[in-house]
Amino acid sequence: MPAEAGAAPQRDITIVGGGLAGALMAILLAQRGWSVDVFERRGDPRVEGYAGGRSINLALAERGLHALRQAGADGAVLQQAVMMRGRFVHPLHGAPNLQPYGRDDSEVIWSINRGELNIVLLDIAESHGARLHFDHALERVEFDAKLATYRNHGLEVAHPFNALVGADGAGSTLRGQMAAHVDLAERTEWLDHGYKELEIPPDARGGFRIEPNALHIWPRGHYMCIALPNDERTFTVTLFMPKDGPHPSFATVDDAEAAQALFERQFPDTLPLIPDLRRDYERNPVGSLGTLYLDRWHLDGRAVLLGDAAHAMVPFHGQGMNCAFEDCVALAGNLQREPSLADAFAAFEAGRKPDAEAIQHMALENYIEMRDLVDDPGFLLQRQLELALQQRHPDRFVPHYAMVSFMRIPYSQALRRSELQRDILVAATRGITSLEDVDWQRADAAVLATLEPLEDSPA
Ligand code: FAD
Ligand code: 8RB
């Protein structure tokens, strides 16, 4: 047996990227006594304000919240969060309606400000002894010499490392450097839809202009708008639409005039809410969306990727950050348990890759649901049936949204069960328009025959 078998890995880590996952990873390791350095390209947001100063919000769900609890950050984060109880659907014709995500206020998601979240995490990381190096952009890595070179205010500075954790986001520089040593089999599947952000400011009395405790959706078939509340009583609106092709697309709606016309026809109720529509539309760029797949996330014991750097996804399940946070908890556990860094990184990749691929897939599917189905009667009947079957079989049948957003069962398990459940829902609602006409005996039998009892992870 090798002499070092069973010995803990050298507890010294360098994290590239001090964004959401990097800052959380720093806390989880520093609080376990690891020596942690974080190198972040941008300046310190606590000094300089958060990039751009625009309020960008994110939906936080149970997976992310659980990770924040491990880091002792949940209290400070929730204090500034806005509760979202459900989808507030705004059809083009007909009355807007709230479709609750869960059964009560314990099953909700939270809208949080990205800048404030990052600052909370950086403060806690520092309080546990992590060393934060801002204005340090990773440029290149010599893996044999274990030396990383960063650009710091125009100057190149080199720092030795024991091992690197790549939390440098979808455009990861570390990933590019690793690819020179090992074939990561990287591929990105770009969506042919892009997005643009707009803003709903507070009303004249400084209050929210629409229902604050909801995630708003304006489904329009092939495209949609959504809006998430900010704690300063604004909403960030995102328009998702094809980049090219027939009207409407970002190619045909390419200036303020065309945007005004599109919103007059398709989103008339939002016009009085977005006073600076023309200005926002012209100023803000069209963002791209895609899914990043890699066959490998690590280079033996020297580097490992997590979060967007390893598995960027489309936004439609609101799980990118939640999944990145779950990665951090998993990797911290692997690093505590495994005898070497190489073993820990390999175990992390083996454990998390199937789950990352599952949520990437579910995120793509949820676009169709949001933009096209949330005002479809057949779909709404299936949602009602989901709730009814949950009541009849609470240990076996849990609605898809709840498995992803309110539980911590592995994403791959949520996907598998959702597919089985969908078959049951489709079969039981075929040819009927009301729950009263469901053949309950058949539906119950299908649940018992197909779905094993479910157990969530312990607190
Ligand atoms: P990031 O948060 O992107 O952090 C990467 C960090 O690395 C940054 O600080 C960056 O400056 C730094 N960096 C980059 N290159 C270098 C370098 N060369 N050297 C040093 N540092 C570097 N997810 C959700 O779960 N719910 C949501 O509602 C949601 N909404 C979103 C809304 C928008 C507009 C966007 C863009 C994303 C949203 N996401 C959401 C996804 C979420 O933001 C990401 O999945 C999450 O931030 C990933 O965390 P990360 O730490 O891997 O990457
Ligand atoms: N990235 C979200 C959901 C699911 C909502 C539901 C969807 C904007 C970029 Cl599109 C989207 C969800 O099924 O009812 N929860 O949280 C967040 C979403 O978009 C975020 C704000 C977003 N992410 C590039 C833009």
Side-chain angles (χ1 to χ4, degrees):
M1 215 159 92
E4 65 274 20
Q10 197 183 329
R11 293 155 68 87
D12 175 352
I13 223 98
T14 295
I15 299 171
V16 182
L20 300 184
L24 181 67
M25 196 68 223
I27 300 174
L28 296 175
L29 292 180
Q31 73 186 3
R32 289 169 167 83
W34 285 61
S35 169
V36 177
D37 284 274
V38 179
F39 289 88
E40 164 57 45
R41 177 167 60 189
R42 291 175 305 197
D44 188 339
R46 299 166 297 183
V47 179
E48 306 175 11
Y50 197 76
R54 273 193 305 157
S55 45
I56 291 297
N57 44 20
L58 302 130
L60 174 71
E62 176 56 25
R63 294 169 197 273
L65 191 53
H66 179 75
L68 293 177
R69 281 185 207 113
Q70 311 289 299
D74 52 316
V77 170
L78 284 184
Q79 213 176 338
Q80 313 174 334
V82 182
M83 182 189 280
M84 298 189 289
R85 294 193 171 96
R87 296 174 171 158
F88 209 109
V89 178
H90 303 252
L92 182 52
H93 308 289
N97 56 93
L98 178 72
Q99 302 172 10
Y101 284 132
R103 289 170 293 187
D104 54 47
D105 279 1
S106 71
E107 296 184 332
V108 296
I109 57 175
W110 301 90
S111 183
I112 56 174
N113 180 284
R114 180 190 292 267
E116 289 169 1
L117 170 63
N118 206 349
I119 286 171
V120 165
L121 295 177
L122 292 169
D123 276 337
I124 300 176
E126 212 163 44
S127 77
H128 287 293
R131 291 173 294 277
L132 310 179
H133 311 266
F134 293 100
D135 296 300
H136 279 71
L138 180 71
E139 289 218 325
R140 56 179 190 278
V141 182
E142 292 156 65
F143 286 103
D144 293 328
K146 288 199 172 182
L147 198 64
T149 301
Y150 305 86
R151 182 157 293 273
N152 172 229
H153 296 300
L155 297 176
E156 285 197 344
V157 290
H159 289 268
F161 64 86
N162 177 42
L164 297 175
V165 171
D168 51 346
S172 173
T173 300
L174 179 56
R175 188 175 72 227
Q177 296 293 299
M178 290 164 66
H181 288 256
V182 52
D183 183 9
L184 303 174
E186 170 177 343
R187 65 236 175 254
T188 299
E189 281 177 17
W190 294 103
L191 204 64
D192 45 17
H193 293 228
Y195 72 97
K196 197 184 275 279
E197 286 165 351
L198 310 164
E199 196 194 66
I200 300 177
D203 67 17
R205 286 177 305 168
F208 286 106
R209 286 193 188 215
I210 50 177
E211 167 60 47
N213 294 118
L215 189 158
H216 293 263
I217 309 177
W218 289 261
R220 294 296 181 264
H222 284 284
Y223 58 101
M224 67 177 183
C225 276
I226 66 164
L228 272 70
N230 292 300
D231 63 347
E232 62 267 42
R233 295 177 164 47
T234 62
F235 290 82
T236 304
V237 177
T238 313
L239 167 65
F240 294 96
M241 189 164 70
K243 289 181 147 183
D244 296 300
H247 188 69
S249 67
F250 282 112
T252 69
V253 185
D254 64 347
D255 62 11
E257 211 58 45
Q260 178 80 24
L262 173 72
F263 276 70
E264 276 169 14
R265 284 181 81 97
Q266 299 296 338
F267 306 107
D269 57 325
T270 69
L271 271 183
L273 307 174
I274 314 176
D276 291 328
L277 171 66
R278 292 158 162 272
R279 195 200 63 189
D280 289 352
Y281 201 91
E282 297 231 293
R283 278 193 193 167
N284 297 339
V286 176
S288 296
L289 304 166
T291 310
L292 167 76
Y293 303 96
L294 305 178
D295 280 359
R296 290 193 57 178
W297 290 356
H298 72 106
L299 174 59
D300 48 59
R302 289 176 286 182
V304 66
L305 301 169
L306 54 67
D308 280 9
H311 51 65
M313 65 191 72
V314 298
F316 306 108
H317 233 305
Q319 287 288 318
M321 164 189 62
N322 287 283
C323 180
F325 282 178
E326 212 173 44
D327 284 354
C328 294
V329 173
L331 179 58
N334 295 132
L335 284 167
Q336 283 300 98
R337 285 189 300 271
E338 299 293 335
S340 72
L341 289 166
D343 288 321
F345 294 172
F348 170 71
E349 178 190 300
R352 282 300 283 171
K353 208 141 71 63
D355 293 320
E357 286 166 8
I359 187 56
Q360 288 177 314
H361 176 81
M362 293 188 284
L364 282 161
E365 288 195 324
N366 210 49
Y367 189 23
I368 317 282
E369 178 163 327
M370 291 182 76
R371 74 185 198 209
D372 204 22
L373 300 178
V374 290
D375 58 351
D376 174 276
F379 172 83
L380 294 174
L381 181 62
Q382 288 185 20
R383 298 286 76 70
Q384 285 179 11
L385 181 56
E386 265 192 321
L387 291 173
L389 288 175
Q390 181 179 31
Q391 280 193 341
R392 296 168 83 90
H393 309 277
D395 57 331
R396 289 176 199 261
F397 198 108
V398 179
H400 162 76
Y401 191 88
M403 285 194 286
V404 171
S405 300
F406 308 138
M407 298 182 76
R408 289 183 288 112
I409 58 168
Y411 285 123
S412 51
Q413 199 182 327
L415 171 59
R416 195 165 51 245
R417 296 185 74 103
S418 286
E419 287 173 344
L420 297 171
Q421 291 181 176
R422 188 179 308 159
D423 291 343
I424 297 174
L425 295 171
V426 168
T429 54
R430 194 168 286 132
I432 65 170
T433 56
S434 158
L435 272 197
E436 287 171 21
D437 298 326
V438 169
D439 180 342
W440 293 108
Q441 238 179 350
R442 221 177 116 220
D444 289 340
V447 170
L448 294 173
T450 331
L451 298 164
E452 295 294 321
L454 180 59
E455 265 175 60
D456 197 7
S457 326

